[in-house]
Amino acid sequence: MDIATPCGSRKKSSFGKRCLLIAKQHRTRLHILGRCISMLLCWHNHSLVDDY
């Protein structure tokens, strides 16, 4: 702990940064999952057309 920082401001800042980082990671995972699902759906549609 740093004594020079005022009354826990460092803890609040690091907690906020950690929450933002976790939220960003979850948003990224959801985005990737959505892209994968849409790619699989589109691939399924294209594979039906390529069979003939």
Side-chain angles (χ1 to χ4, degrees):
M1 244 192 232
D2 196 7
I3 298 172
T5 58
C7 199
S9 65
R10 185 177 179 132
K11 276 188 175 183
K12 289 180 183 178
S13 177
S14 67
F15 178 74
K17 286 181 182 180
R18 195 172 10 171
C19 287
L20 286 175
L21 180 64
I22 291 170
K24 185 177 180 181
Q25 288 175 347
H26 283 292
R27 188 176 62 220
T28 302
R29 288 177 184 158
L30 287 174
H31 176 74
I32 292 170
L33 184 63
R35 295 282 299 208
C36 289
I37 290 171
S38 66
M39 185 175 61
L40 286 172
L41 290 173
C42 291
W43 174 77
H44 178 71
N45 289 339
H46 286 291
S47 69
L48 291 176
V49 174
D50 291 340
D51 283 341
Y52 62 91

